[in-house]
Amino acid sequence: MSAAPRSIWMTQSLPDAVSLFDHQNPAAVVVDLRGHPVGLITKAAVSREAGKNPDRWSSIRCAHLMEPLTSRLRPDDSIEGVLALYRDGGPRPLLVFNGDHPIGVLYPEYVLASTRASERPPPFVVTSGPESSTETHADIF
């Protein structure tokens, strides 16, 4: 698990999100107008969007591109529980909470590196996370 990423308002633009990414945290927590976490936005997702819409990506708001929170992990949740979430919704970065406060992000690469191949969900392509976040688009990075 990586440290808690920085947060960004859902109304902010994708370039604002890009300014928050770094090697250790290629994701940002998207918060609503009350400051409550509502999703994650990743460097890989922004890069893909910039590649598809090079003339328009900078005007897109984070709410449009964020991955909504569909689960709330706790530090003591099991790997089996995480793998079940991946089977249900696909491998993706998951926000880890201590109570109501985000404390980190669990990236699929870390989970899969610590599990046997026979325990993993069906084959998939990892599109976000520290190792795969090296994909960049020259116009934004």
Side-chain angles (χ1 to χ4, degrees):
M1 175 176 78
S2 71
R6 299 177 202 167
S7 63
I8 189 163
W9 300 105
M10 59 191 307
T11 55
Q12 286 183 263
S13 68
L14 296 183
D16 293 331
V18 168
S19 71
L20 301 178
F21 302 142
D22 60 33
H23 180 67
Q24 299 251 320
N25 272 315
V29 176
V30 180
V31 296
D32 64 15
L33 298 177
R34 294 181 304 232
H36 298 128
V38 293
L40 280 172
I41 191 164
T42 64
K43 180 179 179 180
V46 173
S47 182
R48 281 191 306 276
E49 186 65 30
K52 287 192 280 186
N53 296 303
D55 297 330
R56 195 177 141 254
W57 78 274
S58 62
S59 63
I60 296 173
R61 301 291 162 212
C62 290
H64 172 74
L65 197 60
M66 73 176 192
E67 177 75 30
L69 290 180
T70 56
S71 60
R72 294 172 72 100
L73 289 181
R74 295 171 307 178
D76 58 347
D77 284 342
S78 68
I79 291 291
E80 292 79 18
V82 173
L83 291 172
L85 290 171
Y86 288 173
R87 278 189 281 281
D88 292 342
R92 62 203 178 279
L94 297 169
L95 200 52
V96 181
F97 287 84
N98 182 7
D100 289 333
H101 305 286
I103 59 169
V105 176
L106 185 60
Y107 292 98
E109 295 86 0
Y110 299 147
V111 173
L112 298 174
S114 66
T115 58
R116 291 186 296 242
S118 62
E119 298 173 336
R120 296 178 188 166
F124 64 90
V125 175
V126 175
T127 59
S128 58
E131 285 76 21
S132 63
S133 64
T134 57
E135 168 192 341
T136 60
H137 189 272
D139 292 342
I140 60 172
F141 301 115

